[in-house]
Amino acid sequence: MRLTKQMIQQLLDQNEGFKASTHYSDKNNTHDRRYQVVSGELRIRETGKTSWADSRYDNEFVADEDQTRRFLRNDLGALNTDGLKMD
């Protein structure tokens, strides 16, 4: 299925308040991402740390179009897709 800009916006609008999270860990980096659909956009909060002693971070940002498309594609099964034309 191809997610057009119009479909992306419709999915975001229909899934206001939807939340999901991911966790990633390897030898030198660990981070958690919390995703939430708010006001028609995908917001991401990423917290983590690297192998350096003072390297903890906490970032919050609005996802760009590619990040949003990837998120929606990965979580499509959990989202409200009523009224969408699935090609």
Side-chain angles (χ1 to χ4, degrees):
M1 173 179 48
R2 185 167 181 262
L3 290 175
T4 64
K5 285 184 180 184
Q6 182 181 5
M7 288 177 74
I8 289 170
Q9 194 57 56
Q10 185 177 350
L11 278 168
L12 291 172
D13 292 341
Q14 284 181 200
N15 290 281
E16 179 73 21
F18 180 82
K19 295 179 183 180
S21 61
T22 60
H23 175 78
Y24 174 80
S25 183
D26 70 11
K27 184 177 178 180
N28 296 316
N29 185 20
T30 300
H31 72 255
D32 293 296
R33 276 190 166 189
R34 289 178 258 335
Y35 302 87
Q36 185 172 8
V37 178
V38 178
S39 300
E41 59 189 16
L42 178 63
R43 297 190 183 170
I44 301 173
R45 180 171 183 199
E46 183 178 60
T47 57
K49 63 179 182 171
T50 65
S51 58
W52 296 92
D54 61 348
S55 62
R56 294 185 185 276
Y57 58 91
D58 187 345
N59 300 321
E60 198 165 334
F61 56 95
V62 175
D64 65 25
E65 186 177 338
D66 290 334
Q67 291 169 322
T68 302
R69 182 175 280 117
R70 193 169 31 256
F71 169 80
L72 293 173
R73 189 174 307 283
N74 289 339
D75 287 297
L76 199 57
L79 296 169
N80 174 4
T81 59
D82 293 346
L84 278 184
K85 254 191 191 177
M86 302 290 195
D87 296 337

